[in-house]
Amino acid sequence: MKISEPSGQDGSADANDLGSTTGRVVGGRRPPLRRTFNAFRYPRYRLLWVSMAVAMVGMQMQMIARGLLAYELAGNFSAVGALAAAWGIPQFFLALPGGAVADRMDKRTILLLTQAAVLVQALGIGLLITFDAISLELMFLFGIVLGGTFSFNMPARQAYIPELVPKHELMNAIALNNTAMNATRLFSPVAAGLFIAVWGFATTYYITAGMYALAFFAVVLLPRSTAHLAGESTRGGMFSEIGVGLR
């Protein structure tokens, strides 16, 4: 069974790849295990994957640190729930607009802006803790910022994938993304707990900021997306498209 090669040295997807038979079962035999990682053959997808995985590690670590810090500041579990709501409510209201914006803008620009925002908020919280200026109200405000930025970040990441791999590798690329996201839920909380126990909250937030910085620089190396330019002249309004998506 022949596996098509990337169209260029940069590993970008080519229309000729669409006819590939990669991943099909031939003669009743399962494809080799190495095809599980076929999407990693494309360097640009690898950059996006690394950026996503590192950012998710930072986010999962920050979720643990945020809850423990809220309890330490307020001394009750209601504060922990309030901070979780501050992170979740913006995502509830902005998830659909975030997807619509990803359809209309350069996805690389969206990722750079949102990664910069979460980097600044993590670094800001770390500095506030260092100078003993942190408060529950500020944590709530930062939680809203984090939830809002991820409402735009995640749809842009998912929508970016089809521009970085050929069509026949799209399902594989999405599966690898989901695998990385689930894997971070296993070890990131453990890492956060260890960092907090050994070095404290401030250092943990600085480490989280470093994760976001790595994710940011990985996105810098990606090309500008162009899919949002297709059909731009015939596209309807953003809110009308959101309405269509709800039907």
Side-chain angles (χ1 to χ4, degrees), residues 198-221:
V198 175
W199 293 305
F201 286 106
T203 300
T204 302
Y205 270 98
Y206 293 143
I207 293 172
T208 300
M211 296 287 185
Y212 292 143
L214 288 175
F216 177 88
F217 287 115
V219 174
V220 168
L221 300 176

Side-chain angles (χ1 to χ4, degrees), residues 41-182:
R41 293 188 299 132
Y42 303 94
R44 292 173 175 176
Y45 172 74
R46 290 201 300 268
L47 283 172
L48 183 68
W49 187 90
V50 168
S51 172
M52 181 278 303
V54 173
M56 288 300 296
V57 169
M59 188 193 76
Q60 296 291 341
M61 287 177 56
Q62 188 168 346
M63 288 177 66
I64 299 301
R66 183 178 65 239
L68 293 174
L69 181 58
Y71 184 78
E72 185 168 298
L73 289 172
N76 60 71
F77 294 111
S78 298
V80 179
L83 282 186
W87 184 77
I89 290 175
Q91 294 191 68
F92 178 80
F93 288 104
L94 296 176
L96 290 174
V101 169
D103 288 337
R104 287 167 164 73
M105 285 184 61
D106 172 22
K107 297 164 189 63
R108 177 176 177 271
T109 299
I110 296 174
L111 292 179
L112 289 174
L113 291 175
T114 53
Q115 285 298 156
V118 296
L119 166 60
V120 169
Q121 66 85 31
L123 184 60
I125 293 175
L127 290 172
L128 287 170
I129 296 171
T130 298
F131 293 103
D132 199 22
I134 194 65
S135 68
L136 196 60
E137 292 77 14
L138 287 173
M139 290 292 296
F140 190 84
L141 178 62
F142 281 119
I144 293 175
V145 171
L146 185 64
T149 52
F150 270 99
S151 300
F152 293 91
N153 182 283
M154 297 309 294
R157 285 188 184 279
Q158 294 293 332
Y160 207 172
I161 296 175
E163 299 187 48
L164 304 178
V165 298
K167 187 177 180 179
H168 69 272
E169 301 287 19
L170 182 57
M171 291 298 101
N172 179 251
I174 293 173
L176 289 172
N177 259 36
N178 291 338
T179 299
M181 291 175 64
N182 290 325

Side-chain angles (χ1 to χ4, degrees), residues 11-57:
S12 58
D14 189 281
N16 293 331
D17 291 327
L18 302 183
S20 172
T21 59
T22 300
R24 296 180 185 174
V25 177
V26 177
R29 294 178 299 175
R30 294 181 181 275
L33 181 62
R34 66 178 180 272
R35 289 186 185 151
T36 302
F37 307 100
N38 262 2
F40 284 150
R41 293 188 299 132
Y42 303 94
R44 292 173 175 176
Y45 172 74
R46 290 201 300 268
L47 283 172
L48 183 68
W49 187 90
V50 168
S51 172
M52 181 278 303
V54 173
M56 288 300 296
V57 169

